[in-house]
Amino acid sequence: MNEVDLIDTATIDNTKFDKALFDRLDLLKQYFTKTYGATKYDKGYPKQEKMQNRRAFNAYKWQVGRKEIFVGIALEETDRGDIYMY
């Protein structure tokens, strides 16, 4: 596999843009930092008002040889409400 565009975490209760959402994002950051070292860049957390439907905010990036790993949050607007995915 050469590319993973989005890991679908919609089954986790990610309907609120709050500290719990960022705590789970931090767990992913910790995993990749432990595995691949320091990030190439760290943009921190996104601002809710800047989130766009079906667009990802890439908070962190790692360079692993010729490959890049991005970790961030994407917004999916649904008729049931907003869902945030990592």
Side-chain angles (χ1 to χ4, degrees), residues 11-51:
T11 56
I12 300 171
D13 184 23
N14 292 334
T15 58
K16 296 178 184 160
F17 197 86
D18 60 4
K19 184 179 178 331
L21 182 73
F22 299 136
D23 288 346
R24 290 189 291 272
L25 181 65
D26 287 340
L27 287 174
L28 287 170
K29 179 185 177 189
Q30 288 173 15
Y31 170 79
F32 285 109
T33 299
K34 182 178 178 182
T35 304
Y36 299 111
T39 61
K40 180 141 176 117
Y41 71 69
D42 182 338
K43 293 184 179 178
Y45 305 133
K47 298 199 181 309
Q48 186 172 17
E49 62 272 7
K50 296 205 176 202
M51 296 296 296

Side-chain angles (χ1 to χ4, degrees), residues 36 40 62-68:
Y36 299 111
K40 180 141 176 117
W62 288 264
Q63 188 76 39
V64 182
R66 295 179 5 178
K67 298 185 183 199
E68 299 173 321

